Amino acid sequence: MDARDQALQASCPVIAAPRFGSLPPMGNGQRVIVARNGTFIQTRLDWLDCILPMGQQCNAIRLPYGEVTEHLRFRFGVLPITLIEDFVARARRRLPDEAAGVLIYSRITGGLRLAMCDAQSVSPVHIHYRRPPMGRDETVAVDLHTHGSSPPFWSDEDNRDDLGIAVAGVFGLLHQPAPTARFRLVVNGFHKPLDQHPWMGSGQDVTPADSAGTHGGWIPSLLRRWW
């Protein structure tokens, strides 16, 4: 086998799903799982453990393997409410321009911290930015940006930029008392809307009526888990 193919297969191996046992353990990285009910990609990082479907089962070919269930878990648990509030407050100070920030995961502490990104080019309709420096044990887990006074949505530029592995969040209507937001998981250019977390509910932007609490109304829903 060509050495380049060996390197590629070592970095992202393909395994068959066990029918009578459990999936073998894996360290940080990615692997493709061929299962009776489809093909899946498993990703494991310091902060993420997920299995996502890549293709649907072909009924004409019943593979003699086990079945795999979609799985998503964030090792940091829930998003800290204080970090989300802090990001929104800082982004409001930059109105009418857009703003960007990241939640950085520490392998040592198991927690997140907020860092705002340095804008290289910014306006009310776009932002190009540089991510902040990080420690050796740190990695970006959540990528946040705003659309200023406009509603939150995923632009063509967002889709082109979101190619790595992270949770992405976009906030809009920051000039109003209750901004709205959308979140999705990004894995190698595949975008999975986080419809199950409380902000997405039925697929709509969240308004104050969609959540409850004593901490401002719209933010407390982030304290709940997404799985």
Side-chain angles (χ1 to χ4, degrees):
M1 181 184 293
D2 189 293
R4 292 167 293 185
D5 288 321
Q6 290 180 327
L8 286 172
Q9 293 185 24
S11 64
C12 187
V14 180
I15 68 169
R19 187 164 184 176
F20 303 105
S22 302
L23 285 168
M26 67 175 290
N28 283 3
Q30 288 186 310
R31 65 185 178 187
V32 175
I33 306 171
V34 180
R36 186 178 180 87
N37 58 326
T39 304
F40 298 78
I41 181 77
Q42 183 174 14
T43 303
R44 180 162 291 177
L45 299 176
D46 290 338
W47 58 274
L48 174 67
D49 182 9
C50 74
I51 298 177
L52 299 176
M54 296 176 58
Q56 298 299 316
Q57 171 186 314
C58 179
N59 293 324
I61 303 176
R62 297 290 291 177
L63 297 174
Y65 306 138
E67 294 193 353
V68 170
T69 302
E70 185 174 354
H71 170 79
L72 175 59
R73 180 181 182 186
F74 302 117
R75 294 183 182 174
F76 51 74
V78 296
L79 294 181
I81 190 171
T82 55
L83 297 186
I84 299 300
E85 287 182 322
D86 193 8
F87 173 74
V88 170
R90 296 190 191 194
R92 278 175 163 156
R93 291 197 290 268
R94 302 187 184 189
L95 287 172
D97 292 338
E98 295 189 359
V102 288
L103 299 185
I104 299 173
Y105 178 82
S106 168
R107 183 173 61 253
I108 294 176
T109 67
L112 297 168
R113 68 177 178 90
L114 170 67
M116 298 301 289
C117 298
D118 292 329
Q120 298 175 297
S121 172
V122 64
S123 77
V125 295
H126 91 282
I127 182 170
H128 294 161
Y129 57 88
R130 183 190 301 109
R131 282 181 171 177
M134 294 179 287
R136 289 187 175 183
D137 70 305
E138 294 183 321
T139 185
V140 170
V142 185
D143 199 322
L144 305 171
H145 76 282
T146 71
H147 282 173
S149 300
S150 301
F153 65 94
W154 301 113
S155 67
D156 291 339
E157 184 174 1
D158 293 335
N159 292 334
R160 290 192 299 268
D161 291 344
D162 285 344
L163 298 177
I165 302 174
V167 174
V170 57
F171 293 75
L173 306 179
L174 265 71
H175 63 297
Q176 296 184 1
T180 56
R182 289 186 177 272
F183 281 85
R184 65 184 180 184
L185 176 66
V186 178
V187 177
N188 296 349
F190 172 74
H191 306 142
K192 176 182 174 57
L194 293 176
D195 293 330
Q196 298 305 312
H197 85 75
W199 279 32
M200 295 294 285
S202 60
Q204 302 297 318
D205 294 327
V206 165
T207 65
D210 295 319
S211 58
T214 60
H215 214 306
W218 59 280
I219 292 181
S221 56
L222 283 177
L223 290 174
R224 306 174 199 165
R225 294 187 180 273
W226 291 353
W227 58 87

